[in-house]
Amino acid sequence: MNTKEIADLQKNYLIPTYAPAVALVEGSGTSVWDAEGNEYLDFVSGIAVTNIGHCHPKMVRAVQDQVEKLVHVSNLFYNEQQPRLAKALSELSGLPGAKCFFCNSGAEANEGLIKLARLWGSDKGKYEIVTMRQSFHGRTLATLTATGQDKVQKGFGPLPEGFVYATFNNLQSIDDAISSKTAAVLVEALQGEGGVIPAEPEFFSSLRKLCDEKGILLLCDEVQCGMGRTGKWFGFQNYDAQPDAFSLAKGLGNGFPIGAIVAGQKLADIFQVGHHATTFGGTPLACAAALSVIEVIEEEDLLANTMMMGAYFVEGLCDIALKHKQWIAQVRGLGLLLGLVLDVPALPLQKKLLGKGMLSLATAGNVLRLLPPLNVSQEEIDQALKWMGEACDELHAEMAGLSPNPCRCGIR
Ligand SMILES: *Cc1c(COP(=O)(O)O)cnc(C)c1O
């Protein structure tokens, strides 16, 4: 089928919740191809999902081997892959005594974290969760309520009770939001959907202290910034404080649907038999896929590559930002979760890049989010920078009468 045929079929039979641009039919590494055979440089990675690139041979082999052996048994029975993956994540987390629960998506992982915090607080009269405005936690009723943005909540009321909003990177506002009913504070170490905004180091460590003082939990949503994306296994590892528990999904299965809760000692044994469950959670197939992702990140030293390529990319992006300082405000992010912050909407730039053969993502209105796979090469970044430079020059020429703006270019 060509793109038009696919789009027509979709228009007739899919509930129109999405507005896709191109029909993609094949992928390999950092490249994807559309139905007409055009190649694109993929700097979206399925929104921080395909972190080891498309169709990595090691993952293909792991999934093929497991699919021929055993796909699903339910959690009425043991399957070896599940505790093996849990052990790997527990060790990587650095949280002493951490244990895992597996599910199928980011929203579901956060939903589980919320339930875990509520059960922990149930004998103390604590159930409220403080979350951040401009955060993103998912689209189920509880997680869209946790998501402090009107645009995802409008029309879906009544919303579940027990969520209170505060301002990210503002400790005082969190302190103000905490009451005797607060069970937990839930934050992203780096807000992805909110506009690629990293936590300030001082904010993150003070938040840990504040939660300890108040006797409440600190929970991290690592769905987007986890699994190596920021150059550390988990986003919070860029800071000198640890959460009590965190959620994972996106990059965990490199596209195979799997989510997880990783709970440190304090929360590891709160859920008991019957408290929480999901039929597809931790199937042998999903866990084999995730185990292969972890192996590839370790064997190919992709955390180091993420740091190195991230720094290289930032340098090139700063050159572009400086050249167009009238309308490019900042380059920010961690590792390979980067944002080019514009003073104008980011969608026209995203569209120009698509026309040149590069996938990128406009977010929070004026931020161009860039998420190449963690094994991206320097040549691929050079190609992306070349196209971005050209696209920005073209946009610059189209925008007349801009008043000069001081450039705040720099990382963090
Ligand atoms: C994408 C995302 C989610 C939701 O994950 P789904 O798998 O789409 O349910 C939650 N939190 C963060 C930070 C995300 O980026």
Coordinates of all heavy atoms in Angstrom, one line a residue, residues 251-299:
G251 N 11.7 3.1 26.7 CA 12.9 2.5 26.2 C 13.1 1.1 26.7 O 14.0 0.4 26.2
L252 N 12.4 0.7 27.7 CA 12.7 -0.6 28.3 C 12.6 -1.8 27.4 O 13.4 -2.7 27.4 CB 11.7 -0.8 29.5 CG 11.8 -2.1 30.3 CD1 13.2 -2.3 30.9 CD2 10.7 -2.1 31.5
G253 N 11.7 -1.8 26.5 CA 11.5 -2.9 25.5 C 11.9 -2.5 24.1 O 11.7 -3.3 23.2
N254 N 12.5 -1.3 23.9 CA 12.9 -0.9 22.6 C 11.7 -1.0 21.5 O 12.0 -1.2 20.4 CB 14.1 -1.6 22.1 CG 14.9 -0.8 21.1 OD1 15.4 0.3 21.4 ND2 15.1 -1.4 19.9
G255 N 10.5 -0.9 22.0 CA 9.4 -1.0 21.1 C 8.5 -2.2 21.4 O 7.3 -2.2 21.1
F256 N 9.1 -3.2 22.1 CA 8.2 -4.2 22.6 C 7.5 -3.7 23.9 O 8.1 -3.2 24.8 CB 9.0 -5.5 23.0 CG 8.1 -6.7 23.0 CD1 8.1 -7.6 22.0 CD2 7.3 -6.9 24.1 CE1 7.2 -8.6 22.0 CE2 6.4 -8.0 24.1 CZ 6.4 -8.8 23.0
P257 N 6.1 -3.7 23.9 CA 5.4 -3.1 25.0 C 5.8 -3.7 26.4 O 5.5 -4.9 26.6 CB 4.0 -3.2 24.7 CG 3.9 -3.6 23.2 CD 5.2 -4.3 23.0
I258 N 6.4 -2.9 27.2 CA 6.6 -3.4 28.6 C 6.8 -2.2 29.5 O 7.5 -1.2 29.1 CB 7.8 -4.4 28.7 CG1 8.0 -4.8 30.2 CG2 9.1 -3.8 28.1 CD1 9.0 -6.0 30.4
G259 N 6.3 -2.2 30.7 CA 6.5 -1.1 31.7 C 6.9 -1.8 33.0 O 6.8 -3.0 33.1
A260 N 7.4 -1.0 33.9 CA 7.8 -1.5 35.2 C 7.7 -0.5 36.3 O 7.8 0.7 36.1 CB 9.2 -2.1 35.1
I261 N 7.5 -1.0 37.5 CA 7.7 -0.3 38.7 C 9.0 -0.8 39.3 O 9.1 -2.1 39.4 CB 6.6 -0.5 39.8 CG1 5.2 0.0 39.2 CG2 6.9 0.2 41.1 CD1 4.0 -0.4 40.1
V262 N 9.9 0.0 39.7 CA 11.0 -0.4 40.5 C 10.9 0.2 41.9 O 10.9 1.5 42.0 CB 12.4 0.0 39.8 CG1 13.6 -0.6 40.6 CG2 12.4 -0.5 38.4
A263 N 10.8 -0.6 42.9 CA 10.5 0.0 44.2 C 11.6 -0.3 45.2 O 12.1 -1.5 45.3 CB 9.2 -0.6 44.8
G264 N 12.2 0.7 45.8 CA 13.2 0.5 46.8 C 12.7 -0.2 48.1 O 11.5 -0.4 48.2
Q265 N 13.6 -0.4 49.0 CA 13.3 -1.2 50.2 C 12.0 -0.8 50.9 O 11.2 -1.7 51.3 CB 14.5 -1.0 51.2 CG 14.9 -2.2 51.9 CD 16.4 -2.2 52.2 OE1 17.0 -1.1 52.5 NE2 17.1 -3.3 52.1
K266 N 11.8 0.5 51.1 CA 10.6 1.0 51.9 C 9.3 0.5 51.2 O 8.3 0.3 51.9 CB 10.7 2.5 51.9 CG 9.8 3.1 53.0 CD 9.6 4.6 52.8 CE 10.9 5.3 53.3 NZ 10.6 6.8 53.2
L267 N 9.3 0.3 49.9 CA 8.1 0.0 49.2 C 8.1 -1.4 48.5 O 7.1 -1.8 48.0 CB 7.9 1.1 48.1 CG 7.6 2.5 48.6 CD1 7.5 3.5 47.4 CD2 6.3 2.6 49.3
A268 N 9.2 -2.1 48.6 CA 9.3 -3.3 47.9 C 8.3 -4.4 48.3 O 8.0 -5.3 47.5 CB 10.8 -3.9 48.0
D269 N 7.9 -4.4 49.6 CA 7.0 -5.4 50.0 C 5.6 -4.9 50.5 O 5.0 -5.5 51.3 CB 7.7 -6.2 51.2 CG 8.9 -7.0 50.6 OD1 8.7 -7.8 49.6 OD2 10.0 -6.9 51.2
I270 N 5.2 -3.7 50.0 CA 3.9 -3.2 50.3 C 2.8 -3.9 49.6 O 1.8 -4.3 50.2 CB 3.9 -1.6 50.0 CG1 4.9 -0.9 50.8 CG2 2.5 -1.1 50.2 CD1 4.6 -0.8 52.3
F271 N 3.0 -4.1 48.3 CA 2.0 -4.9 47.5 C 2.2 -6.4 47.9 O 3.3 -6.9 47.8 CB 2.3 -4.8 46.0 CG 1.7 -3.6 45.3 CD1 2.3 -3.1 44.1 CD2 0.6 -2.9 45.8 CE1 1.8 -2.0 43.4 CE2 0.1 -1.8 45.2 CZ 0.7 -1.3 44.0
Q272 N 1.1 -7.0 48.3 CA 1.1 -8.4 48.6 C 0.2 -9.1 47.6 O -0.4 -8.5 46.8 CB 0.7 -8.7 50.1 CG 1.6 -8.1 51.1 CD 3.0 -8.8 51.2 OE1 3.0 -10.1 51.1 NE2 4.1 -8.1 51.2
V273 N 0.1 -10.4 47.7 CA -0.7 -11.2 46.8 C -2.1 -10.7 46.7 O -2.7 -10.5 47.8 CB -0.7 -12.7 47.2 CG1 -1.7 -13.5 46.3 CG2 0.7 -13.3 47.1
G274 N -2.5 -10.3 45.5 CA -3.9 -9.9 45.3 C -4.0 -8.3 45.2 O -5.1 -7.8 44.8
H275 N -3.0 -7.6 45.6 CA -3.1 -6.1 45.6 C -3.0 -5.5 44.2 O -3.6 -4.5 44.0 CB -2.0 -5.5 46.5 CG -2.3 -5.5 47.9 ND1 -1.4 -5.9 48.9 CD2 -3.4 -5.1 48.6 CE1 -1.9 -5.7 50.1 NE2 -3.1 -5.2 49.9
H276 N -2.3 -6.1 43.3 CA -2.1 -5.5 42.0 C -1.8 -6.6 41.0 O -1.1 -7.6 41.4 CB -0.9 -4.5 42.1 CG -0.9 -3.5 40.9 ND1 -2.0 -2.8 40.5 CD2 0.1 -3.2 40.1 CE1 -1.7 -2.1 39.5 NE2 -0.4 -2.2 39.2
A277 N -2.2 -6.5 39.8 CA -2.0 -7.5 38.8 C -2.3 -7.0 37.4 O -3.0 -6.1 37.3 CB -2.9 -8.8 39.1
T278 N -1.7 -7.7 36.4 CA -2.1 -7.5 35.0 C -1.8 -8.7 34.2 O -0.7 -9.3 34.4 CB -1.4 -6.2 34.4 OG1 -1.8 -6.1 33.0 CG2 0.1 -6.2 34.6
T279 N -2.7 -9.1 33.4 CA -2.5 -10.4 32.7 C -1.3 -10.5 31.9 O -0.5 -11.5 31.9 CB -3.7 -10.6 31.7 OG1 -4.9 -10.6 32.5 CG2 -3.6 -11.9 31.0
F280 N -1.0 -9.4 31.1 CA 0.2 -9.5 30.2 C 1.5 -9.1 31.0 O 2.6 -9.0 30.3 CB 0.0 -8.5 29.1 CG -1.0 -8.9 28.1 CD1 -1.8 -7.9 27.5 CD2 -1.2 -10.2 27.7 CE1 -2.8 -8.3 26.6 CE2 -2.1 -10.6 26.7 CZ -2.9 -9.6 26.2
G281 N 1.5 -8.8 32.2 CA 2.7 -8.3 32.9 C 3.8 -9.2 33.0 O 3.7 -10.3 33.5
G282 N 4.9 -8.8 32.4 CA 6.2 -9.7 32.5 C 6.1 -11.0 31.8 O 6.6 -12.0 32.3
T283 N 5.5 -11.0 30.6 CA 5.5 -12.3 29.8 C 7.0 -12.6 29.5 O 7.9 -11.8 29.4 CB 4.8 -12.1 28.5 OG1 5.5 -11.2 27.7 CG2 3.3 -11.7 28.7
P284 N 7.2 -13.9 29.3 CA 8.6 -14.4 28.9 C 9.1 -13.6 27.7 O 10.2 -13.2 27.6 CB 8.4 -15.8 28.5 CG 7.2 -16.3 29.2 CD 6.3 -15.1 29.4
L285 N 8.2 -13.3 26.7 CA 8.6 -12.6 25.5 C 9.0 -11.2 25.8 O 10.0 -10.7 25.3 CB 7.4 -12.7 24.5 CG 7.7 -12.1 23.1 CD1 9.0 -12.8 22.5 CD2 6.5 -12.3 22.2
A286 N 8.1 -10.4 26.5 CA 8.4 -9.0 26.8 C 9.7 -8.9 27.6 O 10.6 -8.1 27.4 CB 7.3 -8.4 27.6
C287 N 9.9 -9.8 28.6 CA 11.1 -9.8 29.4 C 12.4 -10.2 28.7 O 13.4 -9.6 28.9 CB 10.9 -10.6 30.7 SG 9.7 -10.0 31.8
A288 N 12.2 -11.1 27.7 CA 13.4 -11.5 26.9 C 13.8 -10.3 26.1 O 15.0 -10.0 25.9 CB 13.1 -12.7 26.0
A289 N 12.8 -9.6 25.5 CA 13.1 -8.4 24.7 C 13.8 -7.3 25.6 O 14.9 -6.8 25.2 CB 11.8 -7.8 24.2
A290 N 13.3 -7.0 26.8 CA 13.9 -6.0 27.7 C 15.3 -6.5 28.1 O 16.3 -5.6 28.2 CB 13.0 -5.8 28.9
L291 N 15.5 -7.8 28.4 CA 16.8 -8.2 28.8 C 17.9 -8.0 27.7 O 19.0 -7.6 27.9 CB 16.8 -9.7 29.2 CG 16.3 -10.0 30.6 CD1 15.9 -11.5 30.8 CD2 17.4 -9.7 31.6
S292 N 17.4 -8.2 26.4 CA 18.3 -8.0 25.3 C 18.7 -6.5 25.2 O 19.8 -6.2 24.8 CB 17.7 -8.6 24.0 OG 16.8 -7.7 23.5
V293 N 17.7 -5.6 25.5 CA 18.0 -4.2 25.4 C 19.1 -3.8 26.4 O 20.1 -3.1 26.1 CB 16.7 -3.4 25.7 CG1 17.0 -1.9 25.8 CG2 15.7 -3.6 24.6
I294 N 19.0 -4.3 27.6 CA 19.9 -4.0 28.7 C 21.3 -4.6 28.3 O 22.3 -3.9 28.4 CB 19.5 -4.6 30.0 CG1 18.3 -3.9 30.5 CG2 20.6 -4.6 31.1 CD1 17.6 -4.5 31.8
E295 N 21.3 -5.8 27.7 CA 22.6 -6.4 27.3 C 23.3 -5.5 26.2 O 24.5 -5.3 26.3 CB 22.4 -7.8 26.7 CG 22.5 -8.9 27.8 CD 22.1 -10.2 27.2 OE1 22.6 -10.6 26.1 OE2 21.3 -10.9 27.8
V296 N 22.5 -5.1 25.3 CA 23.1 -4.2 24.2 C 23.6 -2.9 24.7 O 24.7 -2.5 24.4 CB 22.0 -4.0 23.1 CG1 22.5 -2.9 22.1 CG2 21.7 -5.2 22.3
I297 N 22.9 -2.3 25.6 CA 23.3 -1.0 26.2 C 24.7 -1.2 26.9 O 25.6 -0.4 26.8 CB 22.3 -0.4 27.1 CG1 21.0 0.0 26.3 CG2 22.8 0.8 27.9 CD1 19.9 0.5 27.1
E298 N 24.8 -2.4 27.6 CA 26.0 -2.7 28.4 C 27.1 -3.0 27.4 O 28.2 -2.5 27.5 CB 25.8 -3.8 29.4 CG 25.1 -3.3 30.6 CD 24.7 -4.4 31.6 OE1 24.6 -5.6 31.2 OE2 24.5 -4.0 32.8
E299 N 26.9 -4.0 26.5 CA 27.9 -4.5 25.6 C 28.5 -3.4 24.7 O 29.7 -3.4 24.4 CB 27.4 -5.7 24.8 CG 27.3 -7.0 25.5 CD 26.5 -8.0 24.7 OE1 26.3 -7.8 23.5 OE2 26.1 -9.0 25.3

